[in-house]
Amino acid sequence: MALTVVGSLAYDAVETPFGKRDRMLGGAATHFALAASFFDTVHVVGPVGDDFADEDLTILATRGTNVDDVERVAGGKTFFWAGKYSANLNERETLDTQLNVFETFAPKLSQASKDADVLFLANIVPDLQADVRQQCAAAKFVAMDSMNLWIDIARESLEKVIGMVDCLILNDEEIEQLTGAPNLVQAAAKVLEMGPTVVVAKQGKYGAALFTADDHFWVPAYPLETVVDPTGAGDTFAGGFVGTVAAALQGGEQLTEGLLRNAMAYGTALASFNVEEFGTERVARLTAEEIPERVANLRRITSFEDRPVSLRG
Amino acid sequence: MALTVVGSLAYDAVETPFGKRDRMLGGAATHFALAASFFDTVHVVGPVGDDFADEDLTILATRGTNVDDVERVAGGKTFFWAGKYSANLNERETLDTQLNVFETFAPKLSQASKDADVLFLANIVPDLQADVRQQCAAAKFVAMDSMNLWIDIARESLEKVIGMVDCLILNDEEIEQLTGAPNLVQAAAKVLEMGPTVVVAKQGKYGAALFTADDHFWVPAYPLETVVDPTGAGDTFAGGFVGTVAAALQGGEQLTEGLLRNAMAYGTALASFNVEEFGTERVARLTAEEIPERVANLRRITSFEDRPVSLRG
């Protein structure tokens, strides 16, 4: 019983109003795995170069994450991304992207990774996502991320793989772009017609929304006094969300609305730790004991009583 | 026992991707009053010109709203605003602003308006807000709106009037601009140091947040399949929010966190009706019976159970 993630392992150079890092561990699969490993045994599938440090592989292996399928490409260099955030962290500018070993990445899954019950396809070329999804035929719950680039240049492949998964996790504006719908409610309904039974819209600092055939659910981002670096927040959220689902399915639970809402809360809590420091720094030393308090706080700050109000006719 | 609002009565020309109106009833006080009148007797204070139609005065007087202090300026023209919204309604461009009678507006309050228990200072010149606040010495709860323009050109006056009110209702980015804080949590805390005991951050299509000395509360916008025109949504929200507070205070309730959260939900529900059609069209024919269902739905789509999750150490 395990959770497989396929995606990028990277080094990031990041500048925010609160500091900078020239080279820090990053990548979607990294952030996802660090969060998901609180819930299940994670198998990471992704390429790195000769330059990938042993201590970063050790961080990736936190809480027993299996790194056997981290492919070290001889003579290659690890994916590198550099970006700079605006004053209020709402926008970021990409300064440099070096695909390096990612350019020729063809996911090779060990039998253990293929046997996973739950699969997360982080943001990579849609055709590779489809390939991995087919390799993991036994997976009971498959979620995926993507990005506007693939909507622009590989829409057909993207729509095909969306039709092969249970859950699409995407930024709200990308969901609108994907479907051409004028608002998120209409857009999510269109995605539900494409195949997935679960749609999660990430809304950045505003939180996230969940759409199923049954209902909607909206949760704010966890309010923080200190936000230092949003890099990886979406993948950390996905790790908490998919991880919660994985743990519950393996405990024999059904994929209910209640479970999914709980997963949204855990994803939100995990993401809140991620943004408090640069890159993986905070989540890498996070302990399981710290998480439930944030989930409980999230519940407290979103609850209200439906008190009777006498309305004038 | 009554609720006084001081602010603009206007004609708006609005174009959205879903249609346009060349001249429709608008203005902050108008939208506020239509919403607040579900909760309390509203007194509207604001100027109009010779061109203000009797049928629009009749709309304003819905549910017994008192329009004795709507000042008709002989030879004057009503405030006019023209704007166009972007495809996803996230941004709007002001095409024309004609202050007209608003340029020389000096609020004249009848004794009945001055005696109000609750006062809402809609977005007007801060010095006029301060003047009205002083005229309504008996008010037990005073809330105000403002805008980035006054932060830019009348900061001192704005800070002074903020220090004279109980509640500031403002867009999230304006609260950040006002305080210079890098995020909303820090920004709201700074406003609480300026005088108000309640801060409400409007987040547009993402909802709203409430800050007091005790806690935070976050509520999403009510999810809609059809959003036609966001004009007046913020003032309609304020009308529902302040109206709920007014009704409760007059019922002998204290200004508790629970009451304020309930007010946030009613404000959100009212605003959702406003955006479904142009201008005041939907709220003008809204009935009291339609409102509680949206409040109940809002509660349903934000609730989650804190189910125990077994976390790996």
Side-chain angles (χ1 to χ4, degrees):
Chain A
M1 306 284 265
L3 197 182
T4 293
V5 54
V6 180
S8 61
L9 307 155
Y11 284 118
D12 293 338
V14 168
E15 184 175 348
T16 83
F18 310 102
K20 60 182 292 196
R21 293 289 183 276
D22 291 330
R23 185 177 171 85
M24 64 186 189
L25 176 62
T30 302
H31 287 287
F32 179 93
L34 277 173
S37 60
F38 281 107
F39 303 89
D40 199 358
T41 304
V42 179
H43 289 245
V44 176
V45 182
V48 297
D50 292 330
D51 58 338
F52 199 74
D54 285 342
E55 55 261 42
D56 289 328
L57 207 59
T58 304
I59 292 175
L60 201 59
T62 304
R63 281 174 295 279
T65 289
N66 184 308
V67 295
D68 291 350
D69 285 355
V70 172
E71 183 188 355
R72 198 180 279 270
V73 180
K77 275 187 71 183
T78 303
F79 178 79
F80 178 79
W81 177 79
K84 185 178 173 177
Y85 287 85
S86 64
N88 60 5
L89 301 175
N90 283 2
E91 276 138 48
R92 75 180 190 190
E93 185 190 351
T94 291
L95 301 175
D96 193 7
T97 304
Q98 300 172 17
L99 289 177
N100 296 333
V101 295
F102 227 75
E103 206 156 358
T104 54
F105 175 51
K108 297 174 197 68
L109 276 67
S110 61
Q111 195 57 45
S113 290
K114 287 181 188 171
D115 287 346
D117 301 289
V118 172
L119 173 65
F120 182 65
L121 304 164
N123 170 36
I124 54 173
V125 185
D127 283 340
L128 290 186
Q129 292 179 311
D131 174 52
V132 172
R133 199 276 164 260
Q134 280 165 331
Q135 290 188 51
C136 297
K140 293 181 207 131
F141 183 77
V142 182
M144 66 175 280
D145 188 13
S146 190
M147 72 184 294
N148 52 358
L149 174 69
W150 310 122
I151 303 175
D152 291 335
I153 70 170
R155 174 181 284 273
E156 204 177 320
S157 297
L158 178 60
E159 289 179 355
K160 189 185 116 196
V161 66
I162 290 173
M164 298 163 71
V165 304
D166 304 290
C167 172
L168 177 66
I169 303 176
L170 202 60
N171 291 334
D172 56 351
E173 288 175 2
E174 289 167 345
I175 294 177
E176 290 171 9
Q177 185 192 347
L178 172 70
T179 58
N183 63 57
L184 186 57
V185 172
Q186 281 190 36
K190 287 195 176 190
V191 176
L192 290 173
E193 289 170 7
M194 294 168 72
T197 54
V198 179
V199 177
V200 175
K202 296 181 285 185
Q203 302 176 303
K205 68 172 181 178
Y206 293 108
L210 168 76
F211 301 87
T212 66
D214 297 329
D215 211 345
H216 303 182
F217 173 65
W218 303 71
V219 65
Y222 187 87
L224 292 170
E225 284 200 22
T226 306
V227 180
V228 166
D229 172 23
T231 310
D235 295 303
T236 306
F237 170 88
F241 177 81
V242 176
T244 305
V245 171
L249 293 182
Q250 289 173 18
E253 282 191 61
Q254 298 297 308
L255 192 70
T256 60
E257 179 78 20
L259 163 58
L260 290 168
R261 290 182 176 202
N262 208 233
M264 293 283 287
Y266 274 87
T268 299
L270 266 298
S272 74
F273 289 107
N274 179 78
V275 303
E276 287 183 320
E277 297 181 20
F278 277 95
T280 61
E281 292 169 15
R282 180 68 183 91
V283 180
R285 65 165 202 281
L286 183 65
T287 63
E289 291 68 32
E290 297 175 277
I291 299 169
E293 185 189 356
R294 292 217 173 164
V295 174
N297 286 344
L298 202 54
R299 188 159 179 256
R300 192 193 74 242
I301 63 167
T302 57
S303 301
F304 68 96
E305 281 177 57
D306 198 352
R307 300 144 60 110
V309 173
S310 163
L311 294 166
R312 302 166 79 239
Chain B
M1 306 284 267
L3 196 182
T4 293
V5 54
V6 180
S8 62
L9 306 156
Y11 284 116
D12 292 338
V14 168
E15 185 175 348
T16 83
F18 310 102
K20 60 182 292 195
R21 293 290 184 274
D22 291 330
R23 185 178 171 85
M24 64 187 189
L25 176 61
T30 302
H31 287 287
F32 180 93
L34 277 172
S37 60
F38 281 107
F39 303 88
D40 198 358
T41 304
V42 179
H43 289 245
V44 175
V45 181
V48 297
D50 291 329
D51 58 338
F52 198 75
D54 285 342
E55 56 261 40
D56 289 327
L57 206 59
T58 304
I59 292 175
L60 200 59
T62 303
R63 279 176 296 279
T65 289
N66 185 308
V67 296
D68 292 350
D69 285 355
V70 172
E71 183 189 354
R72 198 179 278 270
V73 180
K77 275 187 70 183
T78 303
F79 179 79
F80 179 78
W81 177 80
K84 185 177 173 176
Y85 287 84
S86 64
N88 61 5
L89 301 175
N90 283 1
E91 276 138 47
R92 75 180 190 190
E93 185 189 353
T94 290
L95 301 175
D96 193 6
T97 303
Q98 299 173 17
L99 289 176
N100 296 331
V101 295
F102 227 75
E103 205 154 0
T104 53
F105 175 51
K108 297 174 196 69
L109 276 67
S110 60
Q111 194 58 45
S113 290
K114 287 182 189 172
D115 287 345
D117 301 288
V118 173
L119 172 65
F120 181 65
L121 304 164
N123 171 37
I124 54 173
V125 185
D127 283 340
L128 290 185
Q129 292 179 311
D131 174 53
V132 172
R133 201 276 165 260
Q134 281 167 328
Q135 290 189 50
C136 297
K140 293 180 208 133
F141 183 77
V142 182
M144 66 175 279
D145 188 13
S146 190
M147 72 183 294
N148 52 357
L149 174 68
W150 310 123
I151 302 173
D152 291 334
I153 70 169
R155 174 181 284 272
E156 204 176 321
S157 296
L158 178 59
E159 289 179 355
K160 188 185 117 195
V161 66
I162 290 173
M164 299 163 69
V165 303
D166 303 290
C167 172
L168 177 67
I169 302 176
L170 203 60
N171 291 334
D172 55 352
E173 288 176 1
E174 289 168 343
I175 294 176
E176 291 171 8
Q177 184 193 347
L178 172 69
T179 58
N183 64 57
L184 186 56
V185 172
Q186 281 190 35
K190 287 194 176 191
V191 176
L192 291 173
E193 290 170 5
M194 294 168 72
T197 54
V198 179
V199 177
V200 175
K202 295 181 285 187
Q203 301 175 304
K205 70 172 180 178
Y206 293 108
L210 167 76
F211 301 86
T212 66
D214 297 330
D215 211 345
H216 305 182
F217 173 65
W218 302 73
V219 65
Y222 187 87
L224 292 168
E225 285 200 22
T226 306
V227 179
V228 165
D229 172 23
T231 309
D235 295 304
T236 306
F237 170 89
F241 176 81
V242 176
T244 305
V245 171
L249 294 182
Q250 290 173 18
E253 281 190 62
Q254 298 297 309
L255 192 70
T256 60
E257 179 78 20
L259 163 58
L260 290 168
R261 290 183 176 202
N262 208 234
M264 293 285 285
Y266 273 88
T268 300
L270 265 299
S272 74
F273 289 108
N274 179 78
V275 303
E276 287 184 321
E277 296 182 21
F278 277 95
T280 60
E281 292 170 15
R282 180 67 182 93
V283 180
R285 65 164 203 282
L286 183 66
T287 63
E289 290 69 31
E290 298 175 276
I291 299 170
E293 186 190 355
R294 292 216 174 165
V295 174
N297 287 342
L298 203 54
R299 188 160 178 256
R300 192 192 76 240
I301 63 167
T302 57
S303 301
F304 69 96
E305 281 177 55
D306 197 351
R307 300 143 60 108
V309 173
S310 163
L311 294 166
R312 302 167 80 237

